[in-house]
Amino acid sequence: MENRPFNWTAIILTAAAVGVWLYSSFGIIHSEHLEEAEVTKKVHNDEGYYVTIDDKKVSVKDTSTWMLLEEGGTYNITYEWYGMKKPYVTEVNQAHDDDQVGGH
C-alpha cells in the first residue's frame, strides 16, 4: 500500500470539519437577548408552555413566568438553545424597568 499524503490530508481536513461542526451544533449554548420584545402569542399544550416573540416560538419552562407574561406586553427577554433543542426563556424583565439588578 502506498503512502499518499493527499489521502491523509483529506482525511484530516474532513475529520476537523466534522469536529468543528459537531462542536458548534451541540457543544455551544447559543443565547439571544431581546430589548423591548413584544409577546404576540401565548400557547400551552401537552408539550409545554410557549410564547411567540418576534415571530419565534420560545419555550417557557417555568409556568409561573409564563403566567406573568401578557400578550401584547413588551419585555426584555433572554433565551437560549443548543443543538436540536427548542429555544427556552432564561430571563425576563419588564421593558424600561430601571429597578432591575444593575439598573440605573
Side-chain angles (χ1 to χ4, degrees), residues 5-92:
F6 175 75
N7 288 344
W8 285 108
T9 304
I11 290 170
I12 291 170
L13 288 176
T14 302
V18 169
V20 168
W21 177 80
L22 286 172
Y23 177 73
S24 65
S25 295
F26 299 100
I28 296 176
I29 296 176
H30 304 278
S31 180
E32 174 118 15
H33 180 74
L34 302 173
E35 297 281 333
E36 298 183 27
E38 182 179 354
V39 174
T40 55
K41 188 176 179 183
K42 285 176 56 174
V43 177
H44 71 90
N45 54 33
D46 294 339
E47 295 178 14
Y49 294 81
Y50 299 93
V51 293
T52 302
I53 307 161
D54 293 343
D55 297 327
K56 184 165 193 127
K57 187 176 179 181
V58 180
S59 173
V60 182
K61 292 183 177 182
D62 182 18
T63 56
S64 297
T65 301
W66 183 84
M67 290 177 11
L68 291 173
L69 296 173
E70 297 178 1
E71 283 187 17
T74 56
Y75 304 93
N76 297 337
I77 296 179
T78 303
Y79 61 91
E80 296 178 347
W81 73 96
Y82 62 94
M84 303 306 287
K85 298 289 184 179
K86 296 177 185 171
Y88 58 92
V89 172
T90 57
E91 186 178 321
V92 176

